[in-house]
Coordinates of all heavy atoms in Angstrom, one line a residue:
L82 N -27.0 1.5 12.6 CA -27.5 0.9 13.9 C -26.8 -0.4 14.2 O -26.6 -0.8 15.3 CB -29.0 0.8 13.9 CG -29.7 2.1 14.2 CD1 -31.2 1.9 13.9 CD2 -29.5 2.6 15.6
A83 N -26.5 -1.2 13.1 CA -25.7 -2.4 13.4 C -24.3 -2.0 13.9 O -23.8 -2.7 14.8 CB -25.5 -3.2 12.1
A84 N -23.7 -1.0 13.4 CA -22.4 -0.5 14.0 C -22.6 0.0 15.4 O -21.8 -0.3 16.3 CB -21.9 0.6 13.1
T85 N -23.7 0.7 15.7 CA -24.0 1.1 17.1 C -24.1 -0.1 18.0 O -23.6 -0.1 19.1 CB -25.3 1.9 17.1 OG1 -25.2 3.1 16.2 CG2 -25.7 2.4 18.5
Q86 N -24.8 -1.1 17.6 CA -25.0 -2.3 18.4 C -23.7 -2.9 18.7 O -23.5 -3.4 19.8 CB -25.9 -3.3 17.6 CG -26.1 -4.6 18.3 CD -27.2 -5.4 17.6 OE1 -28.4 -5.2 17.7 NE2 -26.7 -6.4 16.9
N87 N -22.8 -3.0 17.7 CA -21.5 -3.7 18.0 C -20.7 -2.9 18.9 O -19.9 -3.5 19.7 CB -20.7 -3.8 16.6 CG -21.0 -5.2 16.0 OD1 -20.1 -6.1 16.0 ND2 -22.2 -5.4 15.5
L88 N -20.8 -1.6 19.0 CA -20.1 -0.8 20.0 C -20.8 -1.0 21.4 O -20.1 -1.0 22.4 CB -20.2 0.7 19.6 CG -19.2 1.1 18.5 CD1 -19.6 2.4 17.9 CD2 -17.7 1.1 19.0
L89 N -22.1 -1.1 21.4 CA -22.8 -1.3 22.7 C -22.4 -2.7 23.3 O -22.6 -2.9 24.5 CB -24.3 -1.1 22.6 CG -24.7 0.3 22.3 CD1 -26.2 0.4 22.1 CD2 -24.4 1.3 23.5
Y90 N -22.0 -3.6 22.4 CA -21.6 -4.9 22.9 C -20.3 -4.8 23.8 O -20.0 -5.7 24.6 CB -21.2 -5.8 21.8 CG -22.3 -6.5 21.1 CD1 -22.3 -6.6 19.7 CD2 -23.5 -7.0 21.7 CE1 -23.4 -7.2 19.0 CE2 -24.5 -7.5 21.0 CZ -24.4 -7.7 19.7 OH -25.5 -8.3 19.0
L91 N -19.7 -3.6 23.8 CA -18.5 -3.4 24.7 C -18.9 -3.2 26.1 O -18.1 -3.1 27.0 CB -17.7 -2.2 24.2 CG -17.1 -2.3 22.8 CD1 -16.5 -1.0 22.3 CD2 -16.0 -3.4 22.8
T92 N -20.2 -3.0 26.4 CA -20.7 -2.7 27.8 C -21.1 -4.0 28.4 O -21.3 -5.1 27.8 CB -21.9 -1.7 27.8 OG1 -22.9 -2.3 27.0 CG2 -21.5 -0.4 27.2
E93 N -21.3 -4.0 29.7 CA -21.7 -5.2 30.5 C -22.9 -4.8 31.4 O -23.2 -3.7 31.7 CB -20.5 -5.6 31.5 CG -19.2 -5.9 30.8 CD -19.3 -7.3 30.0 OE1 -20.3 -8.0 30.3 OE2 -18.5 -7.5 29.2
P94 N -23.7 -5.8 31.7 CA -24.9 -5.6 32.6 C -24.5 -4.9 33.9 O -23.5 -5.2 34.5 CB -25.4 -7.0 32.9 CG -24.9 -7.8 31.7 CD -23.6 -7.3 31.3
G95 N -25.4 -3.9 34.2 CA -25.1 -3.1 35.4 C -24.4 -1.8 35.1 O -24.2 -1.0 36.0
Q96 N -23.9 -1.7 33.9 CA -23.2 -0.4 33.5 C -24.2 0.6 32.9 O -25.3 0.3 32.5 CB -22.1 -0.7 32.6 CG -21.0 -1.6 33.2 CD -19.8 -1.9 32.3 OE1 -20.0 -1.9 31.1 NE2 -18.6 -2.0 32.9
R97 N -23.7 1.8 32.7 CA -24.5 2.9 32.1 C -23.8 3.4 30.8 O -22.5 3.4 30.7 CB -24.6 4.0 33.0 CG -25.6 3.8 34.2 CD -25.7 5.1 35.1 NE -24.3 5.3 35.7 CZ -23.8 6.5 35.7 NH1 -24.4 7.6 35.2 NH2 -22.6 6.7 36.3
V98 N -24.6 3.9 29.9 CA -24.1 4.6 28.7 C -24.7 6.0 28.8 O -25.9 6.2 28.8 CB -24.5 4.0 27.4 CG1 -24.1 4.8 26.2 CG2 -24.0 2.6 27.3
V99 N -23.8 7.0 28.9 CA -24.2 8.4 29.0 C -24.2 9.0 27.6 O -23.3 8.9 26.8 CB -23.1 9.2 29.9 CG1 -23.5 10.7 29.9 CG2 -23.1 8.7 31.3
M100 N -25.4 9.5 27.2 CA -25.7 10.0 25.9 C -26.1 11.4 25.9 O -26.6 11.9 26.9 CB -26.8 9.1 25.2 CG -26.3 7.7 24.8 SD -27.6 6.9 23.8 CE -26.7 5.5 23.2
S101 N -26.0 12.0 24.8 CA -26.5 13.4 24.6 C -28.1 13.4 24.7 O -28.7 12.4 24.3 CB -26.1 14.0 23.2 OG -26.8 15.2 23.0
D102 N -28.6 14.5 25.2 CA -30.1 14.6 25.3 C -30.6 15.1 23.9 O -31.8 15.4 23.8 CB -30.5 15.6 26.4 CG -29.9 17.0 26.2 OD1 -29.1 17.2 25.2 OD2 -30.3 17.9 27.0
D103 N -29.8 15.2 22.9 CA -30.2 15.5 21.5 C -29.4 14.6 20.6 O -28.4 14.9 20.0 CB -29.8 17.0 21.3 CG -30.2 17.4 19.9 OD1 -31.2 16.9 19.4 OD2 -29.6 18.4 19.3
V104 N -29.9 13.4 20.5 CA -29.2 12.3 19.7 C -30.2 11.7 18.7 O -31.4 11.8 18.9 CB -28.7 11.3 20.7 CG1 -29.8 10.4 21.3 CG2 -27.6 10.4 20.1
Y105 N -29.7 11.1 17.7 CA -30.6 10.4 16.8 C -31.5 9.5 17.5 O -31.2 8.7 18.3 CB -29.7 9.6 15.8 CG -30.5 8.6 14.9 CD1 -31.6 9.1 14.2 CD2 -30.1 7.3 14.8 CE1 -32.3 8.2 13.4 CE2 -30.8 6.4 14.0 CZ -31.9 6.9 13.3 OH -32.6 6.0 12.5
G106 N -32.8 9.6 17.1 CA -33.8 8.8 17.8 C -33.6 7.3 17.8 O -33.9 6.6 18.7
G107 N -33.1 6.8 16.7 CA -32.8 5.3 16.6 C -31.7 4.9 17.5 O -31.8 3.7 18.1
T108 N -30.8 5.7 17.8 CA -29.7 5.4 18.7 C -30.3 5.3 20.1 O -30.0 4.3 20.9 CB -28.6 6.4 18.7 OG1 -28.1 6.5 17.4 CG2 -27.5 6.1 19.7
W109 N -31.1 6.3 20.5 CA -31.7 6.3 21.8 C -32.7 5.1 22.0 O -32.7 4.4 23.0 CB -32.5 7.6 22.1 CG -33.2 7.6 23.4 CD1 -34.5 7.4 23.6 CD2 -32.6 7.7 24.7 NE1 -34.8 7.5 25.0 CE2 -33.6 7.6 25.7 CE3 -31.3 7.9 25.2 CZ2 -33.4 7.7 27.0 CZ3 -31.1 7.9 26.5 CH2 -32.1 7.9 27.4
R110 N -33.5 4.8 20.9 CA -34.4 3.7 21.0 C -33.7 2.4 21.2 O -34.1 1.5 22.0 CB -35.2 3.6 19.6 CG -36.2 2.4 19.5 CD -36.9 2.5 18.2 NE -35.9 2.5 17.1 CZ -36.2 3.0 15.9 NH1 -37.3 3.6 15.6 NH2 -35.2 2.9 14.9
L111 N -32.6 2.1 20.5 CA -31.8 0.9 20.7 C -31.2 0.8 22.1 O -31.4 -0.3 22.7 CB -30.6 0.9 19.7 CG -29.7 -0.3 19.8 CD1 -30.4 -1.6 19.5 CD2 -28.5 -0.1 18.8
A112 N -30.7 1.9 22.6 CA -30.1 1.9 23.9 C -31.1 1.8 25.0 O -31.0 1.0 26.0 CB -29.2 3.1 24.1
D113 N -32.2 2.5 24.9 CA -33.2 2.6 26.0 C -34.2 1.5 25.9 O -34.6 1.0 27.0 CB -33.9 4.0 25.9 CG -34.9 4.2 27.0 OD1 -34.4 4.1 28.2 OD2 -36.0 4.5 26.8
K114 N -34.7 1.1 24.7 CA -35.7 0.1 24.7 C -35.2 -1.3 24.6 O -35.9 -2.2 25.0 CB -36.6 0.4 23.4 CG -37.2 1.8 23.4 CD -38.1 2.0 24.6 CE -38.8 3.4 24.4 NZ -39.6 3.7 25.7
I115 N -34.0 -1.5 24.1 CA -33.5 -2.9 23.9 C -32.3 -3.1 24.9 O -32.4 -4.1 25.7 CB -33.0 -3.1 22.5 CG1 -34.2 -3.0 21.5 CG2 -32.4 -4.5 22.3 CD1 -33.9 -3.1 20.1
W116 N -31.3 -2.3 24.9 CA -30.2 -2.6 25.8 C -30.5 -2.5 27.2 O -30.0 -3.3 28.1 CB -29.0 -1.6 25.4 CG -27.8 -2.4 25.0 CD1 -26.6 -2.5 25.7 CD2 -27.6 -3.1 23.8 NE1 -25.7 -3.2 25.0 CE2 -26.3 -3.7 23.8 CE3 -28.4 -3.5 22.8 CZ2 -25.8 -4.5 22.8 CZ3 -27.9 -4.3 21.7 CH2 -26.6 -4.8 21.8
R117 N -31.5 -1.7 27.6 CA -31.9 -1.6 29.0 C -32.5 -2.9 29.5 O -32.4 -3.3 30.7 CB -32.9 -0.5 29.2 CG -33.2 -0.1 30.6 CD -34.2 1.0 30.7 NE -33.7 2.3 30.1 CZ -33.0 3.2 30.8 NH1 -32.7 3.0 32.0 NH2 -32.6 4.3 30.2
R118 N -33.1 -3.7 28.6 CA -33.6 -5.0 29.0 C -32.5 -5.9 29.4 O -32.8 -6.9 30.1 CB -34.4 -5.6 27.8 CG -35.5 -4.8 27.3 CD -36.5 -5.6 26.4 NE -36.0 -6.6 25.7 CZ -36.0 -6.7 24.3 NH1 -36.6 -5.7 23.6 NH2 -35.6 -7.7 23.7
Y119 N -31.3 -5.7 29.0 CA -30.2 -6.6 29.4 C -29.3 -6.0 30.5 O -28.2 -6.3 30.7 CB -29.4 -6.9 28.2 CG -30.2 -7.6 27.1 CD1 -30.7 -6.9 26.0 CD2 -30.6 -8.9 27.2 CE1 -31.5 -7.5 25.1 CE2 -31.4 -9.5 26.3 CZ -31.8 -8.8 25.2 OH -32.6 -9.4 24.3
G120 N -29.9 -5.0 31.2 CA -29.3 -4.5 32.4 C -28.3 -3.4 32.1 O -27.4 -3.0 33.0
I121 N -28.3 -2.7 31.0 CA -27.4 -1.6 30.6 C -28.3 -0.4 30.5 O -29.2 -0.3 29.6 CB -26.7 -1.9 29.3 CG1 -25.8 -3.2 29.6 CG2 -25.8 -0.7 28.9 CD1 -25.4 -3.8 28.3
A122 N -28.1 0.6 31.3 CA -28.9 1.8 31.3 C -28.4 2.9 30.4 O -27.2 3.1 30.3 CB -29.0 2.3 32.8
A123 N -29.3 3.6 29.7 CA -29.0 4.7 28.9 C -29.4 6.0 29.7 O -30.5 6.1 30.2 CB -29.7 4.7 27.6
E124 N -28.5 6.9 29.7 CA -28.8 8.2 30.5 C -28.6 9.4 29.6 O -27.5 9.6 29.1 CB -27.8 8.2 31.7 CG -28.1 9.2 32.7 CD -27.2 9.0 34.0 OE1 -27.4 8.0 34.6 OE2 -26.4 9.9 34.3
A125 N -29.6 10.2 29.4 CA -29.5 11.3 28.5 C -29.3 12.6 29.3 O -30.1 12.9 30.2 CB -30.8 11.4 27.7
I126 N -28.2 13.3 29.0 CA -27.9 14.6 29.6 C -27.4 15.5 28.5 O -27.0 15.1 27.4 CB -26.9 14.4 30.7 CG1 -25.5 14.0 30.2 CG2 -27.4 13.5 31.8 CD1 -24.4 14.0 31.2
D127 N -27.3 16.8 28.9 CA -26.8 17.8 28.0 C -25.3 17.7 28.0 O -24.6 18.1 29.0 CB -27.3 19.2 28.4 CG -26.8 20.3 27.5 OD1 -26.0 20.0 26.6 OD2 -27.1 21.5 27.8
L128 N -24.7 17.2 27.0 CA -23.2 17.0 27.0 C -22.4 18.3 26.8 O -21.2 18.3 26.9 CB -22.8 16.0 25.9 CG -23.3 14.6 26.0 CD1 -22.7 13.7 25.0 CD2 -23.0 14.0 27.4
T129 N -23.1 19.4 26.5 CA -22.4 20.7 26.5 C -22.3 21.3 27.9 O -21.5 22.2 28.1 CB -23.2 21.7 25.6 OG1 -24.4 22.1 26.2 CG2 -23.4 21.2 24.2
D130 N -22.9 20.7 28.9 CA -22.8 21.0 30.3 C -21.8 20.1 31.0 O -22.1 19.0 31.4 CB -24.2 20.9 31.0 CG -24.2 21.4 32.4 OD1 -23.1 21.5 33.0 OD2 -25.3 21.6 33.0
H131 N -20.5 20.6 31.0 CA -19.5 19.7 31.5 C -19.6 19.4 33.0 O -19.2 18.3 33.4 CB -18.1 20.4 31.3 CG -17.8 20.5 29.8 ND1 -16.6 21.1 29.3 CD2 -18.5 20.2 28.7 CE1 -16.6 21.1 28.0 NE2 -17.8 20.6 27.6
D132 N -20.2 20.2 33.8 CA -20.5 19.9 35.2 C -21.5 18.7 35.3 O -21.3 17.8 36.1 CB -21.1 21.1 35.9 CG -20.0 22.2 36.1 OD1 -18.8 21.9 36.1 OD2 -20.4 23.4 36.3
A133 N -22.5 18.7 34.4 CA -23.5 17.6 34.4 C -22.8 16.3 34.0 O -23.1 15.3 34.5 CB -24.6 18.0 33.5
V134 N -21.9 16.4 33.0 CA -21.2 15.2 32.6 C -20.3 14.7 33.7 O -20.3 13.5 34.0 CB -20.3 15.6 31.3 CG1 -19.5 14.3 30.9 CG2 -21.2 16.0 30.2
A135 N -19.6 15.6 34.4 CA -18.7 15.2 35.5 C -19.5 14.5 36.6 O -19.1 13.5 37.1 CB -17.9 16.4 36.0
A136 N -20.7 15.1 36.8 CA -21.6 14.5 37.9 C -22.0 13.1 37.4 O -22.1 12.1 38.3 CB -22.8 15.4 38.1
A137 N -22.4 12.9 36.1 CA -22.9 11.6 35.7 C -21.8 10.6 35.7 O -22.0 9.4 35.8 CB -23.4 11.8 34.2
L138 N -20.5 11.0 35.6 CA -19.4 10.1 35.6 C -18.7 9.9 37.0 O -17.8 9.2 37.1 CB -18.3 10.6 34.6 CG -18.7 10.7 33.2 CD1 -17.5 11.3 32.3 CD2 -19.0 9.3 32.6
S139 N -19.3 10.6 38.0 CA -18.7 10.6 39.3 C -18.8 9.2 40.0 O -19.6 8.4 39.6 CB -19.3 11.7 40.2 OG -20.7 11.3 40.4
A140 N -18.0 9.1 41.0 CA -18.0 7.8 41.8 C -19.4 7.7 42.5 O -19.9 6.6 42.6 CB -16.9 7.8 42.8
E141 N -20.0 8.8 42.9 CA -21.3 8.8 43.6 C -22.3 8.2 42.6 O -23.2 7.4 43.0 CB -21.7 10.2 44.1 CG -20.8 10.7 45.2 CD -19.5 11.2 44.7 OE1 -19.2 11.3 43.5 OE2 -18.7 11.6 45.6
A142 N -22.3 8.8 41.4 CA -23.3 8.3 40.4 C -23.1 6.8 40.0 O -24.1 6.1 39.9 CB -23.2 9.2 39.1
S143 N -21.8 6.4 40.0 CA -21.6 5.0 39.6 C -22.0 4.1 40.8 O -22.6 3.0 40.5 CB -20.1 4.8 39.4 OG -19.6 5.6 38.3
N144 N -21.9 4.5 42.0 CA -22.3 3.7 43.1 C -23.8 3.6 43.2 O -24.4 2.6 43.5 CB -21.8 4.3 44.4 CG -20.3 4.1 44.6 OD1 -19.7 3.2 44.0 ND2 -19.7 5.0 45.4
E145 N -24.5 4.7 42.8 CA -26.0 4.7 42.8 C -26.6 4.0 41.6 O -27.6 3.3 41.8 CB -26.5 6.2 42.9 CG -26.1 6.9 44.2 CD -26.5 8.4 44.1 OE1 -27.1 8.8 43.1 OE2 -26.3 9.1 45.1
R146 N -26.0 4.3 40.4 CA -26.8 3.9 39.2 C -26.0 2.9 38.3 O -26.4 2.5 37.3 CB -27.1 5.1 38.4 CG -27.9 6.1 39.1 CD -28.5 7.2 38.3 NE -27.5 8.0 37.6 CZ -27.0 9.1 38.1 NH1 -27.3 9.4 39.4 NH2 -26.1 9.8 37.4
G147 N -24.8 2.5 38.8 CA -23.9 1.6 38.0 C -22.8 2.4 37.3 O -22.9 3.6 37.0
A148 N -21.7 1.7 37.1 CA -20.5 2.4 36.5 C -20.8 2.9 35.1 O -21.5 2.2 34.3 CB -19.4 1.4 36.4
A149 N -20.4 4.1 34.8 CA -20.5 4.7 33.4 C -19.4 4.0 32.5 O -18.2 4.3 32.7 CB -20.3 6.2 33.4
A150 N -19.8 3.2 31.6 CA -18.9 2.5 30.7 C -18.6 3.2 29.5 O -17.5 3.0 28.9 CB -19.5 1.1 30.4
M151 N -19.5 4.2 29.1 CA -19.3 4.8 27.8 C -20.0 6.1 27.7 O -21.1 6.3 28.3 CB -19.9 3.9 26.7 CG -19.8 4.3 25.3 SD -20.5 3.1 24.1 CE -19.4 1.7 24.3
V152 N -19.3 7.1 27.1 CA -19.9 8.4 26.8 C -20.1 8.4 25.3 O -19.2 8.3 24.5 CB -19.0 9.6 27.2 CG1 -19.7 10.9 26.8 CG2 -18.8 9.5 28.7
W153 N -21.4 8.6 24.9 CA -21.8 8.5 23.5 C -22.1 9.9 23.0 O -23.0 10.6 23.4 CB -23.0 7.7 23.3 CG -23.3 7.3 21.9 CD1 -24.0 8.2 21.0 CD2 -23.0 6.1 21.2 NE1 -24.1 7.5 19.8 CE2 -23.5 6.3 19.9 CE3 -22.4 4.9 21.6 CZ2 -23.4 5.3 18.9 CZ3 -22.3 3.9 20.6 CH2 -22.8 4.1 19.3
I154 N -21.2 10.4 22.1 CA -21.3 11.8 21.6 C -21.8 11.9 20.2 O -21.3 11.1 19.3 CB -19.9 12.5 21.7 CG1 -19.4 12.5 23.2 CG2 -19.9 13.9 21.1 CD1 -18.0 13.0 23.3
E155 N -22.7 12.8 19.9 CA -23.0 13.2 18.6 C -22.6 14.7 18.5 O -22.9 15.5 19.5 CB -24.4 13.1 18.2 CG -24.9 11.8 17.8 CD -26.4 11.8 17.3 OE1 -26.9 12.9 17.1 OE2 -27.0 10.7 17.2
T156 N -21.9 15.1 17.5 CA -21.5 16.5 17.4 C -21.2 16.8 15.9 O -20.3 16.1 15.4 CB -20.4 17.0 18.3 OG1 -20.2 18.4 18.1 CG2 -19.1 16.2 18.1
P157 N -22.0 17.7 15.3 CA -23.2 18.4 15.7 C -24.3 17.4 16.1 O -24.4 16.3 15.5 CB -23.6 19.2 14.5 CG -22.4 19.4 13.7 CD -21.6 18.1 13.9

Side-chain angles (χ1 to χ4, degrees):
L82 281 171
T85 299
Q86 177 172 285
N87 266 251
L88 284 162
L89 291 175
Y90 282 141
L91 298 171
T92 60
E93 299 290 343
Q96 295 181 330
R97 287 179 297 135
V98 178
V99 176
M100 288 187 168
S101 170
D102 60 356
D103 182 28
V104 71
Y105 168 52
T108 302
W109 177 256
R110 178 180 57 205
L111 176 63
D113 185 56
K114 303 299 184 186
I115 297 179
W116 239 247
R117 193 180 295 275
R118 299 197 330 240
Y119 301 101
I121 299 160
E124 191 169 296
I126 64 173
D127 182 357
L128 295 187
T129 67
D130 183 343
H131 295 182
D132 290 339
V134 175
L138 297 176
S139 68
E141 292 79 6
S143 295
N144 289 334
E145 291 175 2
R146 305 192 295 276
M151 184 179 292
V152 177
W153 190 280
I154 299 172
E155 279 185 14
T156 183

